[in-house]
Amino acid sequence: MVLLLALLLLPLSRMSAAVDPNFYIFLCFGQSNMEGAARPEAQDLKSPGPRFLLMPAVDDPQRGRKMGEWCEAVPPLCRPNTGLTPADWFGRTLVTSLPENIRIGVIHVAIGGIDIKGFLPDSIPAYLKKAPGWMKGMLEAYNNNPYERLVTLAKKAQKDGVIKGILMHQGETNTGDPKWAGMVKQVYDRLCSDLKLKPEEVNLYAGNIVQAGGQGVCIGCKKQIDELPQTLHTAQVISSDDCTNGPDRLHFDAAGYRELGCRYGEAVARFLGYEPKRPHIDMPKRIEVPADAVLAETTVPGNEFPKVDKEGRAYFRIAAPEARKVIVDICSKKYEMQPDGKGNFMAVTDPLVPGFHYYFMNINGVNFIDPSTETFFGCNREAGGIEIPEGSEGDYYRPQLGVPAGQVRSIYYYSNAKSEWRHAMVYTPAEYEKGKKKYPVLYLQHGMGEDETGWSKQGHMQHIMDNLIHQGEAVPMIVVMESGDIKAPFQGGDNRQGMSTYGNSFYDVLLKDLIPYIDGNFRTLTDRDHRAMAGLSWGGHQTFDVVLANMDKFAWMGTFSGAIFGLDLKTAYDGVFTRPDEFNKKIHCLFMMSGTEGMDKMFGTKKMVEDLNAMGIKAEYYESTGTDHEWLTWRRGLRQFVPKIFKK
């Protein structure tokens, strides 16, 4: 044991010149499935140690590998930029199955799409002339003679150890060729002759092709590979039954290469007289998607995920074959996604509250947006989003048959207050295009870290308005939505009501630029009795700041989970709440609402309304049961607020 450890710790370049009978060498050749077409995953890239070695057939400067010099066998074994091969887990299986004093070495020469003639010495010159252009670079990597490269390195390796077998995966290019088996025998016989190998001691192990449940692109090749031992009696066929494959049905996926590689290793171990033992393979924790799961309405068409089941659980999948760790972060909880062995990661959440939720994925510490979902501006950046559906109780924010639809327009206007062009969204009711009627205007603000598209994309404001107007519950009105200068993260500063730093640059824009633009370009009723402002979260804070300082311009106001806290009702806004008669005369409706859970519960909105009422202020409160600081709360709030405004 001491001698073995000393040998293993020696630098590879200083290995003894004497042939080590316990260093078993295997030659690997073939086409793309031996070359490796799947990206290695984390478990494949972990070195199995100095007992499994590779003699590179080409230089790989990026990894410090030199042709003909032994190194630890970690993917890629073939050439730079190739993938996982059966040889990877073949070697790991032998290391696990054989005694610790035995080392395994592989020499790997493979070219995607190559005909078996490309390995026949006498046929190579003619084959080179007919080889397709895309193959020429790969052939040149082996000096246009892959057979010679394999033999040259094998002879060098024989100075260190003993060749114990030849691994082949080839045949797809020769599907249906009746001469294929005979040509394979010629390659094998020539190798045995050139390397002075005894055929009875050195088998040819031929892996079968991708089957894909009988739908493999080269499924016709299976029979000719199965019958190879009839032509070459030292050939053993390695079954590919149930080995998983990639979407092209031509190449195995990473899990398929692992399985096939283990089968190669098991066959060799048995031939050498050892009981095969499989190395540890991280098997994916299979996530079962129930039959009742449906695509989320926020899923980009053409994708199979995200899905939502009837319990409100969300199912996510992302293709990330090179990732080590993938997380989906939703509703303040992180779920570690599980690899499925095919380069994908999957996760299922706990039941989620109905409504809209932002979410992110994270690969190896980097946040990104799930490419399978629509994007929404939230959390100060573009984000993924998913809708967990309500039942029929959510019909008020869904488009309905027979309900005339208004329009949400995208407008640009110039702000003199900030010397810049700005963007806003404007809703006009369905009837707006049909006459010359003038309309009241609601200025509707989003919350911190969101933007002017939030109310129409996440909030479905237009459907809420259409349905309420159609049912006669709300008067037809124009709704204007602007960014409010609160897209960027909170900057701190003095943000007491009426003295705000964050977002206060919007106040002049609204009063001096946006309102005049809307009144000048849309048919509006321009007096204060026909102008309202409302907002969610920090948009509610802005609503208080703007309206209570400009009651000559607004007569209606509302907050939804409004960021109104720490307010001294007796002194705030020049003591306006201490003058209830004046306030109630000017403000026809003060509406405030919040959810019953989490952050909304801590805001104390209900208590504030009670205190205002006690001071004689006519304030109305609505509570959204079971919801937190989220869009379902604010949809419900808008649905309750809109019927109350612009009515005497």
Side-chain angles (χ1 to χ4, degrees):
M1 176 61 77
V2 173
L3 180 61
L4 170 63
L5 290 174
L7 178 62
L8 293 180
L9 290 172
L10 278 173
L12 297 178
S13 61
R14 295 182 56 198
M15 289 184 178
S16 172
V19 174
D20 180 0
N22 292 322
F23 186 17
Y24 293 176
I25 297 165
F26 297 86
L27 311 183
C28 307
F29 78 96
Q31 57 185 103
S32 58
N33 272 314
M34 182 57 79
E35 183 182 65
R39 290 185 179 181
E41 297 176 354
Q43 61 180 315
D44 308 309
L45 295 170
K46 184 178 180 181
S47 172
R51 285 185 59 207
F52 181 28
L53 303 176
L54 167 72
M55 179 179 280
V58 297
D59 289 338
D60 186 349
Q62 179 182 347
R63 297 174 178 83
R65 296 176 178 177
K66 292 185 178 180
M67 181 178 67
E69 295 185 6
W70 293 108
C71 62
E72 290 190 8
V74 179
L77 301 187
C78 188
R79 298 186 309 280
N81 303 317
T82 57
L84 191 66
T85 87
D88 283 290
W89 286 81
F90 157 77
R92 293 165 191 256
T93 301
L94 286 187
V95 165
T96 304
S97 302
L98 274 55
E100 290 187 1
N101 65 324
I102 295 177
R103 292 177 298 149
I104 306 300
V106 294
I107 301 171
H108 203 285
V109 175
I111 296 176
I114 195 168
D115 190 290
I116 192 62
K117 295 185 183 72
F119 289 99
L120 274 173
D122 297 337
S123 301
I124 289 173
Y127 183 74
L128 288 173
K129 295 179 182 179
K130 298 179 180 180
W134 53 263
M135 189 185 291
K136 292 187 182 298
M138 294 183 280
L139 287 164
E140 288 172 1
Y142 302 117
N143 199 27
N144 289 316
N145 196 324
Y147 177 85
E148 181 180 322
R149 180 64 55 86
L150 185 63
V151 168
T152 299
L153 295 179
K155 288 179 178 179
K156 183 176 183 180
Q158 284 179 310
K159 298 177 182 179
D160 300 320
V162 182
I163 294 176
K164 289 288 187 176
I166 302 170
L167 278 58
M168 182 187 78
H169 200 288
Q170 198 278 336
E172 292 96 331
T173 299
N174 296 88
T175 299
D177 186 346
K179 297 180 180 180
W180 177 78
M183 288 187 284
V184 171
K185 185 176 185 301
Q186 290 180 54
V187 176
Y188 173 80
D189 289 345
R190 185 66 178 267
L191 284 170
C192 289
S193 174
D194 289 346
L195 298 172
K196 297 180 174 54
L197 305 175
K198 296 179 180 180
E200 64 272 17
E201 296 179 357
V202 181
N203 283 340
L204 176 75
Y205 301 89
N208 223 313
I209 45 78
V210 166
Q211 297 185 46
Q215 301 299 312
V217 172
C218 297
I219 193 66
C221 189
K222 182 179 184 301
K223 184 174 184 292
Q224 70 187 41
I225 295 176
D226 284 337
E227 294 176 351
L228 179 62
Q230 297 176 18
T231 301
L232 179 60
H233 74 279
T234 55
Q236 286 192 37
V237 176
I238 308 303
S239 170
S240 63
D241 292 357
D242 301 319
C243 288
T244 52
N245 55 273
D248 61 2
R249 295 182 289 111
L250 180 62
H251 299 102
F252 299 99
D253 59 17
Y257 281 118
R258 292 186 199 108
E259 177 61 31
L260 189 63
C262 288
R263 293 179 186 181
Y264 271 103
E266 290 168 340
V268 171
R270 292 189 189 97
F271 180 76
L272 295 175
Y274 297 98
E275 183 65 27
K277 297 178 184 177
R278 287 209 168 193
H280 172 75
I281 298 177
D282 293 331
M283 300 302 293
K285 297 178 182 178
R286 186 172 179 81
I287 294 177
E288 299 291 342
V289 182
D292 64 38
V294 297
L295 283 178
E297 66 179 67
T298 41
T299 300
V300 173
N303 290 280
E304 297 180 7
F305 291 87
K307 289 183 175 180
V308 182
D309 68 18
K310 65 180 181 181
E311 302 297 327
R313 297 181 182 87
Y315 298 80
F316 300 97
R317 185 176 73 188
I318 183 74
E322 295 184 354
R324 298 185 302 275
K325 186 174 184 179
V326 185
I327 290 171
V328 60
D329 184 346
I330 184 170
C331 294
S332 302
K333 185 170 182 178
K334 294 178 172 63
Y335 298 86
E336 185 165 348
M337 302 184 75
Q338 303 300 321
D340 66 357
K342 300 180 180 181
N344 300 311
F345 285 75
M346 291 190 67
V348 57
T349 69
D350 297 332
L352 302 174
V353 174
F356 175 88
H357 305 287
Y358 298 113
Y359 74 95
F360 293 95
M361 288 184 173
N362 183 294
I363 291 182
N364 303 338
V366 179
N367 274 348
F368 69 99
I369 302 171
D370 180 358
S372 299
T373 192
E374 299 284 354
T375 57
F376 306 83
F377 195 90
C379 310
N380 307 112
R381 56 170 289 184
E382 293 290 343
I386 188 170
E387 185 78 26
I388 306 300
E390 282 193 289
S392 58
E393 68 273 18
D395 285 347
Y396 71 91
Y397 58 79
R398 300 184 180 116
Q400 301 294 320
L401 289 174
V403 174
Q407 297 182 14
V408 178
R409 311 175 186 212
S410 173
I411 66 162
Y412 287 87
Y413 69 100
Y414 190 77
S415 167
N416 289 302
K418 294 196 70 177
S419 300
E420 64 184 18
W421 286 95
R422 297 178 66 95
H423 181 236
M425 310 297 291
V426 180
Y427 165 84
T428 54
E431 65 178 47
Y432 184 84
E433 307 302 320
K434 299 177 181 179
K436 297 182 179 180
K437 177 181 174 181
K438 293 185 177 182
Y439 295 87
V441 184
L442 165 63
Y443 289 86
L444 183 63
Q445 289 305 114
H446 58 84
M448 181 187 302
E450 293 168 330
D451 75 356
E452 64 272 21
T453 65
W455 269 110
S456 55
K457 287 190 70 175
Q458 294 96 291
H460 302 314
M461 171 278 311
Q462 64 274 34
H463 306 316
I464 297 173
M465 298 301 301
D466 290 341
N467 292 329
L468 290 174
I469 292 170
H470 179 71
Q471 294 159 7
E473 294 188 50
V475 301
M477 67 185 76
I478 294 171
V479 183
V480 180
M481 297 150 282
E482 225 268 8
S483 74
D485 293 341
I486 55 174
K487 293 171 66 172
F490 182 78
Q491 301 296 324
D494 189 344
N495 285 292
R496 289 173 290 167
Q497 278 65 32
M499 304 177 68
S500 297
T501 300
Y502 180 64
N504 69 348
S505 56
F506 173 61
Y507 302 165
D508 271 354
V509 172
L510 173 65
L511 297 170
K512 298 177 181 179
D513 299 310
L514 182 56
I515 290 176
Y517 177 88
I518 296 299
D519 287 345
N521 290 273
F522 292 84
R523 300 194 309 274
T524 64
L525 296 167
T526 61
D527 60 297
R528 64 178 300 279
D529 285 334
H530 292 94
R531 188 179 296 128
M533 185 173 180
L536 68 90
S537 192
W538 202 264
H541 182 112
Q542 291 182 309
T543 297
F544 261 50
D545 279 3
V546 171
V547 174
L548 296 179
N550 296 277
M551 289 192 291
D552 59 325
K553 296 180 176 65
F554 298 88
W556 316 82
M557 60 187 295
T559 70
F560 320 123
S561 305
I564 314 295
F565 37 78
L567 188 68
D568 184 342
L569 297 180
K570 294 180 180 180
T571 61
Y573 303 109
D574 195 29
V576 68
F577 297 124
T578 63
R579 303 187 295 274
D581 291 341
E582 175 189 343
F583 182 91
N584 295 333
K585 181 178 180 181
K586 290 184 176 181
I587 300 299
H588 303 324
C589 176
L590 168 56
F591 173 88
M592 302 179 72
M593 64 84 57
S594 66
T596 60
E597 308 301 316
M599 183 186 299
D600 269 23
K601 187 176 182 180
M602 294 187 295
F603 274 7
T605 304
K606 183 177 182 180
K607 174 67 165 55
M608 180 177 173
V609 171
E610 291 172 348
D611 290 344
L612 286 169
N613 291 160
M615 296 172 68
I617 300 295
K618 294 180 180 178
E620 299 185 41
Y621 177 72
Y622 170 75
E623 197 165 69
S624 173
T625 303
T627 61
D628 196 348
H629 207 65
E630 56 192 285
W631 277 103
L632 185 53
T633 300
W634 307 326
R635 292 172 188 169
R636 291 176 177 176
L638 184 65
R639 191 257 176 272
Q640 296 297 320
F641 173 65
V642 169
K644 300 179 184 296
I645 61 176
F646 306 131
K647 294 179 179 179
K648 289 289 188 179

